[in-house]
Amino acid sequence: MTITDMPQNAATDAPVSRTRTAVSGAAARVSGAPEFVSGADKRNPIKPGRDRFTAALPYVAAIFGTLVGGIGFATSYNTLAEVALSWGFGEDLARWFPIGVDASILAFLALDLYLILRGIPWPVLRMAAHGMTGATIWFNASAQGDIGADPVKSASHGVMPVLFVIGVEAARRLFIQKAQLEAGTVTDRIPLHRWILAPVATPRFYRRMRLHGVTSYPEMIRRQQDLTAYEQWLRRKYDDDLSKASDDEKLPMKMAAHGYTVAQALAMPDQQEREAEARAEEAERRRLDAETRRDLAQKRAEADRLEADGDLEAVRARVEGNTAQARAHARAQASAAERAAELETAALETAVIAEARAREAEAECKKAQEREGKAAADVRAAELERQAAEKRRLAAEADRVAAAEAQAIETAEIAEARQRAAEADRVAAETAKAAAETRRRAAEADRLAAEEAERTATARANTQAAREREAETELRAAETRRAAAEVERRAVETEDAAKLTPRERAVRKVARMALAAGLVAVGLGADEIHRELCGLISIADVQREFDVSSTDTASKYRQEAVVLLAGGYRPEQ
């Protein structure tokens, strides 16, 4: 049996408390006193005549108090004015001297009451007012000569200021009580008979009441009775040997000196455990948040690195394509220049040959003209004619052979030139083909760069979508945790208000764990709920959650949670 299994009002439940019947009965009457007073206000309202009388009391007190104050001021004025003249004050100043003394009393007391109503009292004002009151009493009493010579006469002059101060002190007490009632700080006084009947215990009682802000005297009595009843129950449990009690069981006696009630002290271990669990859960949540942020940062860095690599590959492919294209253009231009130079050289050679033939033809024409001139002039002999003709025939045959040779030479050169031209065309075609291949490679590189850019953009979009999904998932998880924490908080408050035992709290927490894990108990029988709950919450989970080593206890917690869920238990109810 644990300490929390004991009822918080153990004194009323335990049989041994019969020896304390009078004390317990007194606590019941004291605790019930406010209820009786509240009920009396409703059942037996004050009669109208009494209300009028009560309402008239402040006005009667104000009228007669003002009358007493006026009379006292008048008698004090004449007395102080005369004594001021005898003390050497001027005639004008002597008339104002009693006004200054009595007005200072009124000003200090009025300012003291105002500061009290504002919640910032300053005792110096009250002491100054009392000092001025004592001074005016002394002035009035000594104005008739030696006080000892005629005490009655002196007292008759000094009693009126005393009555005025008593009235002001009564008003001050009324104002203070009203201000404390409005602020809720009214503190009950300990009756005089308690100081007389219990002179040793009452100072400790008073000390605890004042130190811990207990403003109700009946409430303090109830606390003392609960502590005494609990101590008696604990003695009965351990055969009057409190050394056998555990530290948790001794908490009410230890914490009473610090203002804790029996119920608060007994609930302290559970509360501290809940706070420790809350701190552990908060630390775990912060750790998980840190891990999530670290993983997210790593994924972002990896995505940025892949994006940078893609950009680098695209730039590299574009540069290589441009370089290959420039090289192909350079080779094509060099080949074209070489072919143009060869064609120019061939054309130059053809022009030289044509010019040589023209000169030879001109030379032959000139020779023919000379031969004709000689033939026309030389008619001397036929033999010479025949010889000239033969020479001409031989020359023509030579010309024919030379022309045939020249034509053959010209045909070979033309063929060779054509071959060179065809070779140049082939080289140009290969150059164009190489240039086209270079352009194709450049286009392929551009296409690959575009695909890489598209993949990079897709990767960025996927990364952004993943980040959004992760943020949305984290938001939903946070909302789920917040809702679960709110449900758990309301359930704990309900359990605290119902003053459930630890076992009942544990059973309800197992039911809440099953509902949080996704169990839907609506429309299911007890056996179906038991199967679903066993599938969601294992015995190990229950042992770990409640720190119990017995599997039988954990199994019973689950069985009782099934009965609770089958009965319609919901945390929000």
Side-chain angles (χ1 to χ4, degrees):
M1 178 177 180
T2 60
I3 183 61
T4 53
D5 293 335
M6 197 278 302
Q8 295 181 358
N9 293 327
T12 58
D13 297 337
V16 75
S17 60
R18 294 176 181 174
T19 57
R20 292 284 183 172
T21 302
V23 177
S24 302
R29 289 194 295 275
V30 170
S31 301
E35 298 179 0
F36 175 75
V37 172
S38 301
D41 292 338
K42 295 180 181 179
R43 298 172 189 167
N44 300 317
I46 299 174
K47 296 181 180 180
R50 186 177 179 183
D51 282 343
R52 287 193 296 269
F53 176 74
T54 304
L57 286 178
Y59 298 102
V60 173
I63 292 172
F64 286 100
T66 304
L67 180 62
V68 170
I71 295 172
F73 178 76
T75 57
S76 176
Y77 180 82
N78 291 329
T79 303
L80 292 183
E82 293 176 0
V83 77
L85 287 173
S86 64
W87 288 346
F89 287 90
E91 184 176 354
D92 295 335
L93 188 59
R95 290 196 300 269
W96 288 101
F97 175 72
I99 296 176
V101 173
D102 293 338
S104 65
I105 298 173
L106 293 175
F108 291 155
L109 291 176
L111 186 57
D112 180 48
L113 292 177
Y114 177 74
L115 292 180
I116 289 173
L117 292 177
R118 302 294 293 180
I120 48 175
W122 193 31
V124 175
L125 293 173
R126 188 183 180 194
M127 290 187 293
H130 289 177
M132 293 302 298
T133 302
T136 189
I137 292 172
W138 176 261
F139 293 157
N140 280 275
S142 62
Q144 307 303 319
D146 187 9
I147 297 175
D150 193 351
V152 177
K153 184 179 180 180
S154 299
S156 65
H157 285 274
V159 72
M160 296 306 295
V162 175
L163 296 178
F164 175 73
V165 171
I166 291 175
V168 172
E169 284 295 323
R172 180 180 183 275
R173 183 175 181 82
L174 177 62
F175 279 120
I176 292 175
Q177 185 73 8
K178 181 177 179 296
Q180 289 179 347
L181 285 174
E182 292 177 353
T185 58
V186 178
T187 302
D188 295 344
R189 301 179 65 86
I190 298 177
L192 180 62
H193 66 268
R194 184 181 182 94
W195 292 95
I196 298 173
L197 298 177
V200 177
T202 303
R204 292 196 299 270
F205 185 90
Y206 177 81
R207 180 177 181 274
R208 287 172 54 192
M209 189 172 174
R210 290 296 182 266
L211 281 180
H212 305 296
V214 182
T215 58
S216 173
Y217 174 69
E219 170 65 18
M220 196 64 198
I221 291 178
R222 187 190 62 79
R223 291 191 181 190
Q224 186 69 27
Q225 290 173 345
D226 288 346
L227 181 62
T228 303
Y230 176 78
E231 184 176 358
Q232 292 301 318
W233 174 84
L234 204 60
R235 289 180 180 277
R236 187 183 73 253
K237 179 181 177 181
Y238 292 106
D239 296 331
D240 206 21
D241 187 5
L242 291 181
S243 61
K244 297 179 181 180
S246 64
D247 292 338
D248 288 348
E249 290 176 327
K250 296 177 183 178
L251 275 177
M253 280 81 76
K254 293 180 181 178
M255 303 307 295
H258 301 282
Y260 285 80
T261 63
V262 174
Q264 290 173 346
L266 293 176
M268 186 183 300
D270 290 340
Q271 181 181 358
Q272 291 175 344
E273 289 179 2
R274 288 196 298 270
E275 292 175 353
E277 291 176 358
R279 290 193 296 270
E281 291 175 358
E282 181 65 19
E284 181 67 16
R285 185 188 64 78
R286 288 197 298 270
R287 186 184 65 79
L288 293 177
D289 289 344
E291 290 181 358
T292 302
R293 289 193 297 270
R294 184 170 62 254
D295 294 342
L296 185 59
Q298 291 177 355
K299 291 178 180 178
R300 287 177 180 172
E302 183 67 17
D304 294 339
R305 186 184 64 79
L306 293 175
E307 182 179 354
D309 292 343
D311 293 340
L312 178 61
E313 291 296 330
V315 171
R316 184 177 296 169
R318 188 166 57 252
V319 170
E320 290 179 355
N322 293 336
T323 303
Q325 187 175 4
R327 290 177 181 173
H329 281 301
R331 286 197 299 269
Q333 289 177 359
S335 300
E338 291 178 359
R339 180 173 175 276
E342 290 177 356
L343 292 176
E344 186 178 358
T345 303
L348 182 60
E349 291 177 355
T350 303
V352 172
I353 293 172
E355 187 179 357
R357 287 176 182 168
R359 286 197 298 271
E360 288 180 356
E362 187 178 357
E364 289 294 335
C365 182
K366 287 179 179 180
K367 289 179 179 179
Q369 288 177 0
E370 289 177 357
R371 284 193 298 270
E372 288 179 358
K374 289 179 179 180
D378 193 4
V379 287
R380 289 178 296 178
E383 186 65 25
L384 293 175
E385 184 71 21
R386 186 183 58 80
Q387 293 179 354
E390 183 69 20
K391 290 182 180 179
R392 287 195 295 275
R393 186 182 64 79
L394 294 174
E397 183 69 20
D399 289 338
R400 186 181 62 78
V401 173
E405 291 178 356
Q407 186 177 2
I409 294 171
E410 182 179 1
T411 301
E413 289 177 353
I414 291 172
E416 187 176 356
R418 287 177 180 173
Q419 184 178 0
R420 287 196 298 272
E423 183 68 21
D425 291 339
R426 184 183 64 78
V427 172
E430 292 180 353
T431 303
K433 182 179 179 181
E437 181 67 19
T438 301
R439 287 194 295 275
R440 186 187 66 78
R441 291 179 180 176
E444 182 69 17
D446 292 339
R447 184 183 63 80
L448 294 175
E451 291 180 354
E452 183 64 27
E454 183 179 359
R455 285 195 299 272
T456 302
T458 303
R460 290 179 180 174
N462 293 336
T463 302
Q464 183 64 26
R467 290 174 182 171
E468 293 177 356
R469 288 194 300 271
E470 184 177 358
E472 186 176 357
T473 302
E474 185 175 357
L475 177 60
R476 286 199 298 270
E479 291 178 351
T480 302
R481 289 195 298 269
R482 183 184 62 79
E486 182 65 20
V487 171
E488 183 69 18
R489 183 186 64 78
R490 290 199 299 269
V492 170
E493 290 178 354
T494 303
E495 293 171 357
D496 291 340
K499 297 182 178 179
L500 300 180
T501 63
R503 186 180 187 86
E504 291 173 338
R505 293 173 183 264
V507 171
R508 279 164 170 74
K509 189 164 186 180
V510 171
R512 291 196 296 274
M513 290 169 57
L515 292 175
L519 175 62
V520 179
V522 178
L524 299 180
D527 294 337
E528 296 174 342
I529 294 175
H530 185 266
R531 287 195 298 271
E532 293 290 335
L533 187 143
C534 290
L536 295 173
I537 306 297
S538 65
I539 291 179
D541 294 336
V542 178
Q543 290 178 320
R544 182 170 55 256
E545 180 68 24
F546 300 101
D547 193 18
V548 294
S549 59
S550 175
T551 57
D552 182 62
T553 302
S555 177
K556 288 181 179 179
Y557 282 176
R558 291 200 309 181
Q559 293 173 1
E560 293 177 9
V562 169
V563 175
L564 192 64
L565 291 172
Y569 170 75
R570 298 294 180 272
E572 61 272 8
Q573 293 179 351

